[in-house]
């Protein structure tokens, strides 16, 4: 993944600065997600925290949290692998469209 992100398309070698930050961002996302999941899987506290979060979201008051209340169960849809793939696509598409800020 890092090699592909750093290389980018052969015709687009003018964005080495963006590629460098892209590798950092993609590795950070993958590493932090793996770390979070590894500490939660098989943990009774992790399951309890997940349950508490689900209850909090599903019972959010529309008067104070209208967007969360409206999304409700949709926030918990999708398999983990599909969500992870989508997240990488979002990051990559954003990287491709977003130049690095000037120094």
């Amino acid at each position: 993944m890092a090699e592909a992100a750093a290389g980018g398309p052969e015709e687009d070698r003018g964005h080495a600065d963006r590629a460098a930050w892209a590798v950092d961002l993609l590795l950070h996302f993958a590493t932090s997600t793996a770390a979070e999941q590894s500490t939660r899987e098989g943990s009774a506290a992790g399951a309890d925290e997940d349950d508490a979060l689900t209850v909090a979201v599903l019972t959010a008051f529309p008067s104070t949290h209208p967007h969360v209340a409206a999304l409700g169960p949709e926030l918990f849809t999708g398999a983990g692998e599909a969500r992870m793939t989508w997240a990488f696509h979002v990051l990559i598409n954003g990287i491709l469209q977003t130049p690095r800020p000037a120094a």
Side-chain angles (χ1 to χ4, degrees), residues 1-102:
M1 177 182 73
E3 186 62 23
E10 290 298 323
E11 65 275 2
D12 192 23
R13 294 287 185 212
H15 299 291
D17 62 339
R18 188 184 308 173
W21 282 20
V23 169
D24 180 58
L25 178 62
L26 293 170
L27 289 174
H28 174 75
F29 178 71
T31 303
S32 63
T33 300
E36 177 188 18
Q37 295 302 314
S38 70
T39 61
R40 300 182 69 70
E41 289 179 8
S43 165
D48 290 344
E49 290 169 1
D50 286 347
D51 291 344
L53 174 64
T54 302
V55 169
V57 168
L58 296 177
T59 59
F61 291 110
S63 60
T64 56
H65 300 89
H67 301 294
V68 172
L71 291 173
E74 186 64 23
L75 291 169
F76 302 102
T77 61
E81 185 175 334
R83 291 177 73 107
M84 180 66 91
T85 298
W86 180 83
F88 274 109
H89 284 235
V90 168
L91 287 170
I92 291 165
N93 287 324
I95 288 164
L96 292 173
Q97 297 300 316
T98 310
R100 258 181 52 176

